[in-house]
């Protein structure tokens, strides 16, 4: 996935061992939510065949297809965020899956639906009409939402077609959100109401749910269904203010919270009314909630709702530079080079992928049509490219060269014998020491193969140095002993993608309950340790990590930001900002290309904060 997206969740990513934190969360959800059977009472006949009916040239049916798509999206969004869970029915398999019953339900496979919606359909199958009529006559509900189907089996129905009977006997509902939700209110199992701010009392429409019966108990999973504020936009941050929400569950239940991030199982505050169970929670934009519900006893009234955390009596941060340790050698990216093809004259400096693209146009025998190299048969290399990189350093420094293929290497015109001693990021990006660089300017020349399987790949210098980057000109400089909070890409690490550990000394005047608040960071995830003892992970809003009771005295908190490889391997010359990042993203054209590096921020962007609270007596 070097020039694809997303990145590999494997050893190539410095943070991949920390991904267990998220995968365990998913595994715990899966364990609970594959038990029992779903509690879904609503079905929607899927309108895909109506879309096929209108599938033609855009100038013939484009407007109608756009309307069908808009109607389709409206229905699922209205229902899911109401929240009213539902299943789609596939017309082609419905006759085989639909069972026999005398009850007022539509039995489909293992499910039994009480209400069926027909919405956004231009055509409907005759078999579906028959089954819905039988369902109606058993006492079920069929809602025709908005304009009814006008075709049966994609043809104009006869005057006595059963479709007209269905339309007369079914309930007609306007294609309006409020009208549809009102018609389905009897099916609502869960509801959300906002409890704070100007929207207090309004229905919360950010969350989805999944509900299952498991023996005499039930599993209820709630999760945010909206994109994190600012997601995908450079320079923006998630919302840090949680929403206070009243969650109402139909029926009288005793809930237990299963914390899917930590694995803890613990009671959760709730109150019971005559017919409902009510929880008060603060929910953040990435939150989810897994509850196990058991029937409440007749005299159960619940217990105090969500614990109110007292405000901190003091907070401390670090308004200074602090010691920072890299977990890997620093990186200087080499991707702009003068070049010569097959012994021809030297060409001006150019970005390697632009050289690669031009050479494939010049040499048709090297065109690979974007096929992955492993899928191309072995070839005899017929072309060899010389790449010449300028290297500037203010210090005498030992460096290693990281490369994928290097047939010959010269430093300042002198041949260098490469003796591989390891690898960088991937086991096929080899590393080998170069002669010690003296302060000044140097020239590194590398001869590389070029063919269908062999592309021009970036090279890297690795070592204990910092990098000063001005535009496209990079220079090796002495390692700084400390860094400030803010973007590490402008503090000597523009191309670095490994872990960075911040050492944060602090002193408490008295014993206290301490919480780490790391509200803005750029990287995959944060981990923390107090006086050398691991104490947890920070990955999601509200970006707070309880450190527990901490004794008075001096302590050292270390926070490790596990960076991504974006500034080492991403399309650093692409200006387009396209969300789709396939192979072409690394080969921008025209005004979408910039020689200047378009780097992502990295590191702790603001000083973390320690919030101090009194210890309980």
């Amino acid at each position: 996935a070097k020039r694809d997206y997303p990145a590999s969740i494997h050893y190539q990513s410095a943070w991949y061992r920390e991904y267990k934190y998220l995968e365990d969360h998913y595994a715990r959800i899966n364990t609970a939510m594959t038990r029992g059977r779903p509690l879904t009472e609503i079905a929607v006949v899927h309108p895909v065949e109506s879309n096929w009916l209108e599938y033609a040239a855009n100038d013939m049916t484009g407007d109608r297809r756009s309307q069908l798509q808009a109607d389709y999206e409206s229905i699922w969004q209205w229902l899911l965020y109401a929240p009213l869970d539902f299943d789609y029915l596939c017309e082609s398999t419905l006759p085989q899956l639909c069972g026999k019953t005398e009850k007022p339900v539509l039995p489909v496979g293992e499910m039994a639906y009480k209400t069926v919606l027909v919405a956004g359909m231009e055509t409907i199958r005759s078999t579906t009409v028959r089954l819905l009529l039988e369902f109606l006559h058993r006492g079920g509900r069929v809602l025709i939402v908005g304009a009814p189907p006008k075709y049966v089996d994609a043809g104009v129905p006869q005057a006595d077609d059963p479709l007209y009977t269905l339309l007369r006997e079914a309930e007609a509902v306007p294609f309006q959100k409020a009208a549809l939700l009102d018609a389905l209110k009897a099916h609502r199992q869960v509801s959300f109401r906002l409890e704070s701010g100007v929207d207090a009392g309004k229905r919360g429409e950010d969350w989805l749910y999944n509900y299952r019966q498991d023996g005499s108990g039930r599993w209820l999973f709630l999760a945010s269904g909206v994109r994190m504020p600012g997601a995908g936009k450079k320079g923006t941050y998630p919302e840090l203010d949680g929403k206070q929400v009243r969650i109402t569950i139909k029926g009288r239940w005793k809930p237990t919270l299963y914390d899917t991030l930590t694995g803890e199982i613990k009671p959760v505050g709730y109150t019971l009314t005559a017919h409902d169970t009510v929880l008060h929670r603060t929910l953040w934009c990435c939150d989810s909630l897994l509850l196990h519900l058991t029937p409440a006893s007749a005299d159960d009234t619940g217990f105090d709702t969500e614990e109110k955390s007292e405000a901190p009596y003091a907070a401390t941060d670090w308004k200074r530079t602090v010691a920072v340790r890299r977990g890997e050698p620093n990186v200087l990216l080499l991707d702009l080079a003068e070049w010569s093809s097959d012994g021809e004259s030297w060409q001006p400096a150019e970005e390697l992928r632009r050289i690669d693209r031009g050479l494939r146009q010049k040499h048709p025998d090297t065109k690979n049509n974007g096929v992955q190299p492993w899928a191309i048969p072995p070839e005899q290399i017929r072309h060899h490219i010389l790449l010449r990189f300028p290297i500037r350093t203010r210090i005498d420094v030992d460096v290693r060269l990281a490369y994928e293929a290097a047939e010959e290497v010269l430093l300042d015109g002198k041949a260098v014998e490469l003796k591989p001693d390891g690898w960088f990021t991937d086991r096929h990006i080899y590393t080998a020491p170069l002669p010690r660089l003296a302060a000044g300017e140097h020239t590194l020349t590398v001869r590389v193969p070029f063919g269908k399987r062999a592309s021009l790949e970036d090279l890297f210098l690795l070592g204990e140095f910092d990098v000063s980057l001005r535009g496209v000109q990079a220079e090796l400089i002495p390692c700084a002993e400390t860094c400030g909070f803010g973007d590490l890409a402008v503090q000597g690490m523009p191309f670095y993608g490994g872990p960075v550990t911040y050492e944060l000394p602090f002193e408490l005047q008295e014993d206290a309950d301490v919480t780490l608040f790391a509200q803005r960071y750029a990287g995959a995830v944060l981990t923390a340790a107090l006086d050398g003892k691991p104490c947890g992970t920070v990955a999601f809003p509200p970006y707070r990590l309880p450190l527990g009771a901490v004794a008075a005295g001096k302590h050292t908190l270390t926070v490790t930001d596990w960076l991504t490889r974006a500034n080492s391997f991403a399309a650093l010359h692409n200006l387009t900002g396209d969300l789709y990042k396939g192979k072409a993203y690394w080969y921008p054209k025209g005004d979408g290309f910039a020689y200047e590096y378009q780097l992502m921020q990295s590191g702790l962007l603001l000083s973390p904060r320690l919030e101090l609270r009194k210890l309980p007596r």
Side-chain angles (χ1 to χ4, degrees):
K2 180 170 51 183
R3 280 189 288 277
D4 207 343
Y5 186 85
S8 170
I9 305 174
H10 200 21
Y11 75 92
Q12 293 94 341
S13 296
W15 48 262
Y16 92 102
R17 292 188 186 278
E18 305 302 322
Y19 201 61
K20 179 179 186 292
Y21 181 70
L22 187 60
E23 283 299 323
D24 283 354
H25 157 76
Y26 290 137
R28 291 175 180 128
I29 295 169
N30 178 72
T31 299
M33 301 312 294
T34 53
R35 297 174 61 87
R37 60 180 179 82
L39 292 167
T40 307
E41 298 179 345
I42 302 169
V44 178
V45 182
H46 199 289
V48 64
E49 294 182 359
S50 296
N51 188 275
W52 293 344
L53 192 67
E54 299 291 359
Y55 199 82
N58 285 334
D59 58 354
M60 295 174 61
T61 62
D63 291 343
R64 294 198 296 276
R65 270 190 288 123
S66 296
Q67 186 60 54
L68 285 170
Q69 181 67 25
D71 292 349
Y72 171 74
E73 293 181 7
S74 293
I75 289 295
W76 69 255
Q77 289 175 358
W78 292 347
L79 294 181
L80 291 184
Y81 292 106
L84 291 163
D85 198 11
F86 71 94
D87 289 338
Y88 278 117
L89 299 181
C90 171
E91 288 194 88
S92 65
T93 59
L94 194 56
Q96 292 78 38
L97 292 176
C98 210
K100 299 293 183 181
T101 184
E102 298 300 321
K103 298 179 180 179
V105 296
L106 183 69
V108 184
E110 298 296 320
M111 300 297 293
Y113 304 102
K114 296 180 179 180
T115 297
V116 177
L117 273 60
V118 176
M121 297 180 68
E122 290 192 345
T123 183
I124 188 170
R125 289 197 180 202
S126 56
T127 51
T128 304
V129 172
R130 177 181 58 79
L131 290 169
L132 293 182
L133 274 173
E134 293 173 359
F135 169 54
L136 265 177
H137 295 159
R138 290 195 302 272
R141 293 181 73 201
V142 176
L143 305 185
I144 308 296
V145 185
K150 54 187 176 182
Y151 304 115
V152 175
D153 296 329
V156 177
Q158 299 295 319
D160 59 348
D161 195 282
L163 172 63
Y164 297 113
T165 304
L166 176 66
L167 299 183
R168 284 195 304 270
E169 297 183 3
E171 300 175 46
V173 179
F175 202 97
Q176 299 169 0
K177 179 180 178 181
L180 179 59
L181 299 187
D182 186 63
L184 296 172
K185 61 185 178 183
H187 296 291
R188 182 168 286 114
Q189 302 279 352
V190 182
S191 67
F192 304 95
R193 292 285 175 180
L194 303 177
E195 292 195 304
S196 61
V198 296
D199 292 328
K202 288 185 178 180
R203 179 184 290 117
E205 296 191 332
D206 288 353
W207 298 282
L208 307 173
Y209 78 94
N210 197 325
Y211 204 20
R212 299 181 74 88
Q213 186 79 40
D214 184 16
S216 61
R218 293 181 175 182
W219 291 99
L220 176 61
F221 179 65
L222 313 172
S224 174
V226 297
R227 293 193 73 191
M228 180 186 292
K233 298 179 181 178
K234 191 173 182 179
T236 57
Y237 298 93
E239 189 68 50
L240 290 175
D241 294 329
K243 293 182 179 180
Q244 294 176 326
V245 183
R246 181 174 76 249
I247 304 168
T248 302
I249 306 167
K250 192 175 183 178
R252 290 171 52 87
W253 302 98
K254 181 179 180 180
T256 301
L257 175 64
Y258 280 61
D259 190 323
T260 54
L261 286 172
T262 66
E264 293 181 85
I265 301 172
K266 52 192 176 184
V268 59
Y270 67 103
T271 55
L272 293 175
T273 68
H275 304 289
D276 297 319
T277 305
V278 180
L279 292 80
H280 300 269
R281 302 286 297 181
T282 299
L283 296 178
W284 306 82
C285 59
C286 289
D287 268 358
S288 62
L289 204 62
L290 178 61
L291 301 171
H292 186 243
L293 308 176
T294 54
S297 61
D299 58 350
D300 189 356
T301 59
F303 67 94
D304 192 18
T305 54
E306 184 183 11
E307 294 183 10
K308 302 295 189 298
S309 176
E310 65 178 39
Y313 68 81
T316 182
D317 60 10
W318 291 264
K319 295 183 176 67
R320 61 186 187 275
T321 60
V322 297
V324 171
R325 302 192 310 270
R326 287 187 287 257
E328 301 174 3
N330 202 4
V331 179
L332 172 63
L333 172 64
L334 302 176
D335 72 342
L336 295 168
E338 297 175 339
W339 60 283
S340 170
S341 172
D342 297 324
E344 297 177 354
S345 60
W346 285 96
Q347 301 298 312
E350 185 56 271
E351 191 259 345
L352 295 191
R353 265 154 295 286
R354 289 164 73 88
I355 301 173
D356 187 295
R357 187 167 57 197
L359 287 172
R360 296 192 192 283
Q361 295 296 325
K362 179 179 178 181
H363 303 297
D365 60 315
T366 64
K367 289 186 178 181
N368 55 26
N369 298 319
V371 176
Q372 293 280 12
W374 52 264
I376 300 174
E379 60 181 327
Q380 180 180 354
I381 295 297
R382 298 174 180 173
H383 303 282
H384 303 271
I385 314 302
L386 286 174
L387 302 172
R388 191 159 65 191
F389 302 94
I391 299 174
R392 301 174 180 86
T393 177
R394 295 183 205 167
I395 55 174
D396 297 349
V397 62
D398 292 315
V399 296
R400 291 153 68 216
L401 178 67
Y403 61 95
E404 291 188 49
E407 300 173 327
E408 183 181 6
V409 175
L410 295 92
L411 181 63
D412 298 329
K414 297 180 180 179
V416 175
E417 182 184 358
L418 292 183
K419 297 180 179 180
D421 62 356
W423 49 270
F424 167 64
T425 300
D426 187 274
R427 293 187 181 94
H428 290 276
I429 302 178
Y430 311 102
T431 61
L434 293 178
R436 183 174 176 84
L437 297 180
E441 296 191 0
H442 302 270
T443 300
L444 179 69
T445 305
V446 183
R447 183 174 183 261
V448 297
F450 184 72
K452 285 185 178 182
R453 286 173 60 105
S455 299
L456 297 187
E457 302 293 349
D458 297 342
L459 292 91
F460 308 86
L461 288 188
L462 312 177
E464 296 307 315
F465 50 73
D466 281 357
V467 177
S468 170
L469 181 65
R470 298 185 178 185
V472 300
Q473 184 169 311
E475 189 173 21
L476 305 185
I477 61 175
C479 291
E481 295 183 357
T482 61
C483 281
F485 297 103
D487 186 6
L488 292 177
V490 297
Q491 297 186 77
M493 292 177 255
F495 306 115
Y496 180 73
V500 176
T501 298
Y502 295 76
E503 295 187 3
L504 308 175
F506 67 96
E507 184 174 3
L508 296 182
Q509 300 304 314
E510 60 179 347
D511 297 355
D513 182 79
V514 181
T515 297
L516 168 65
F517 179 31
Q519 69 270 46
R520 289 188 180 177
Y521 71 93
V525 66
L526 303 180
T527 55
L530 181 60
D531 297 329
K533 182 179 179 181
C535 50
T537 299
V538 178
F540 308 113
Y543 302 117
R544 283 179 167 86
L545 176 64
L547 304 181
V550 180
K554 294 183 178 181
H555 301 274
T556 298
L557 176 69
T558 55
V559 177
T560 299
D561 190 345
W562 298 84
L563 305 183
T564 74
R565 301 292 184 190
N567 286 345
S568 304
F569 292 93
L572 299 180
H573 300 282
N574 191 310
L575 290 173
T576 63
D578 292 340
L579 289 177
Y580 177 72
K581 294 178 174 62
K583 181 181 177 181
Y585 193 70
W586 272 253
Y587 297 84
K589 299 179 181 179
D591 292 338
F593 175 86
Y595 286 102
E596 291 75 19
Y597 296 99
Q598 307 301 301
L599 299 170
M600 292 181 64
Q601 291 182 312
S602 62
L604 297 179
L605 303 180
L606 294 179
S607 170
R609 193 161 71 226
L610 293 183
E611 299 175 340
L612 310 183
R613 294 176 174 83
K614 298 288 186 182
L615 289 172
R617 294 184 180 275

